[in-house]
Each structure stands twice: as structure tokens, then as C-alpha cells.
Amino acid sequence: MSKELLNEEVVDNSEVLTQPEKPKKGKKKKSKARSIIEWVITGIFALLFVIVGIGQIDGMVHAKDNYGYSIRFGMGTFQVKTDSMEPKYKVGTFIITQKKSAKVIYEAYLAKKTVDVTFMNGIVSIDEKPSDTSRTFNVTDKLVITHRIIEVKYNPDASEKEQYIFYAAGINLESEHLSQANQYQAFYYDQILGVVSINSPFLGRVVDVISSPIGLLIFLLIPAFYLIITSVLDITKTLKDKDDEPKAEVITGGGASSLDGLSEEDKKRLKEEMLEEMLHGGKKDE
């Protein structure tokens, strides 16, 4: 056999011995629902982080104007501690207050609207009694109270601070925590921390849970665990797909070896060596 024919045979055999490469598996994409859930969770935490951060800054800046309490963007959050406002606000109810001007509160009172306010009591001593002198008058307890406006007195000739005097009282006449649930508290406008705008017993229970060390830990760990688990699953799947990638093989005598990593120059040299070996072997047989 001539050298040219042997060369052609080697070239043809090398192509035949190369096993056709199997199509690679495409990487499975995340489901649309899962992607949406992850984006929503990430977005919620990012938004909460921004809002809470800005709110904390605003609250700290204005804390000195609200007796040390954090009123963010004019909104305050409190929790009812006694039964003086039941059945309207049960013990533990979460309330959100909103800052409103003295004039707005006074006009609501004149319009006979129900106005519940959260205020700091016991800061100043007001000697003037309410119109209904049959009720007790209390200005001694220094604490935050949420009660209903019963009366508002307006004196345009008084100083700006003392133009409005507000009187408030609890609505529960059978309160277990107060000896006289219909007692009056008197205070000036600068003692008002806000008018109650939202109340929720359910949110109150949530706040109780989150405020506890265990509840706060659970609240933070649930989304963290979800993100960690999904990340581990993604990494595991990627490694598995990499191991399952098919490899091209060449069958020789008694086994197989991969030619995928060989360059064209190496393949050419291998063919020449095979040709020389066949030619050399043929001479021995002669």
C-alpha cells in the first residue's frame, strides 16, 4: 500500500473513531414565580431598610420636640397599656398617631367629632378646671396617655403656648387600672404627640412578638433561610450540570480516550505517528 493511501486511511479512520458529541444540556432557568418571589422579598427588605433608616434619622432630629419620643414624618407609633379606652382600644392595641395643628383639633371638637389623642401628661400644672367640675382633674402623673378629647378651651389673648387648653378622659367607666376612668387630664398643645389615625389589635400582637428576642430572631431568620437555601440549591444544580456534560471519545484497541483537549497540531502529529508506525510495521512483515 502506498504512503498516500495509508495517509488517507489514517485520516478517515481518525474521523470515524471520534464519537459524535452529544448535545449539551441547557441550563434550566429559574421559574418565573420563584424569580418574582425573590425580587419581591429583596425589594421589600431594601424598601424597609431605606424607610426605617430615614425615619430613624427624622425621629432623632425631632425627638427633642416630642419629649424624647421618635415621631417619624409626623407619625408616631404607640401601644395601649391600660383598659381606660376599652372597648374602643383594647389592651395591647397598636396605634398610629398623626401630628395635627391645634386649630384642626379645636375645629374637630367644635364640630362634635370624636378625637382621640396621645399626649404627655404631667409636664405642666394647669390650675384652670374644666367646665364640668363634677369630674376629677389630674395633672400629676408623668406618662404617655391616649384618651378622648372632652373639652377644648381657646383664649386668643393668652400666650401662643397657652391659647389652647385640652381636656381628655378615658371612656371606660369600669376600668380595672384606674380608680376613676372618667378623670380629666389637662394639657397644652405642645404636649400632644399626635391624633390617633389607625388602630389595630392584630398589629399590636405582631409588635409584641417582634419585640421579644425570640420573635425578632424568627422574623429575621425566615427570609434569610429562604435566600440561603435557594442559593445552595442553585450552586448544587450548577455543579451537577457540569458533571453531566458529555465528552467526545476515541475508541482505540481496548479502551477510550478523550480527544477534546487536543489541538489541531497535536492531532496532525498523532496521525503522522500512526502512519509511520503502519509503514514501519509493513516493512517488518515484508
Side-chain angles (χ1 to χ4, degrees), residues 41 45 214-229:
I41 291 177
F45 271 84
I214 296 178
L216 180 60
L217 185 64
I218 294 174
F219 178 75
L220 294 175
L221 286 182
I222 288 177
F225 272 131
Y226 174 80
L227 294 176
I228 291 172
I229 291 172

Side-chain angles (χ1 to χ4, degrees), residues 109 115 117 119 126-131 136-137 139 147-153 164-169 183-188:
Y109 162 73
V115 182
V117 295
F119 57 94
I126 300 174
D127 296 328
E128 186 178 359
K129 300 294 186 289
S131 301
T136 57
F137 179 62
V139 294
H147 275 175
R148 183 160 294 171
I149 294 292
I150 301 299
E151 186 177 347
V152 181
K153 289 185 178 181
Y164 295 91
I165 299 178
F166 299 88
Y167 300 91
Q183 64 181 331
Y184 276 109
Q185 288 86 32
F187 46 92
Y188 295 121

